[in-house]
């Protein structure tokens, strides 16, 4: 089944790129141009990729958390009124 009719990209091709490490619609676009013309397929690509299923994304999130926390240090945030 076609996901991107502008470039003739199938669901199987998107899944193949995802298996190769593309975790976001932008990374899929870089790999095969899907989603870069009319943009009508971007939501379908997002649905195929799912949320949180990418091990690389989880590793990136783990690396960023300590960096954000150390950058904040002991900063006291103002309380909402």
């Amino acid at each position: 089944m076609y996901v991107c009719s502008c470039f003739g990209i199938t669901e199987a091709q998107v899944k193949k790129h995802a298996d190769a490490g593309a975790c976001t619609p932008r990374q899929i676009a870089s790999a095969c141009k899907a989603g870069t013309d009319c943009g009508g397929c971007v939501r379908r690509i997002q649905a195929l990729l799912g949320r949180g299923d990418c091990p690389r994304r989880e590793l990136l999130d783990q690396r960023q958390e300590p960096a954000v926390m150390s950058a904040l240090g002991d900063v006291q945030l103002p309380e909402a009124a």
Side-chain angles (χ1 to χ4, degrees):
M1 175 182 209
Y2 284 103
V3 173
C4 176
S5 57
C6 295
F7 293 105
I9 305 300
T10 64
E11 191 172 300
Q13 288 172 296
V14 170
K15 289 180 180 180
K16 179 182 168 188
H17 291 299
D19 290 343
C23 297
T24 65
R26 183 171 287 181
Q27 291 172 339
I28 294 292
S30 293
C32 63
K33 296 172 85 176
T36 61
D37 194 27
C38 77
C41 60
V42 174
R43 288 188 181 195
R44 179 71 181 134
I45 293 168
Q46 288 173 327
L48 288 171
L49 294 175
R51 290 187 166 254
D53 293 340
C54 180
R56 289 179 54 208
R57 183 181 303 149
E58 291 171 9
L59 290 173
L60 287 173
D61 289 344
Q62 289 173 359
R63 285 188 212 151
Q64 288 176 359
E65 284 180 26
V68 170
M69 294 306 291
S70 65
L72 289 176
D74 292 329
V75 174
Q76 295 293 324
L77 298 177
E79 292 185 26

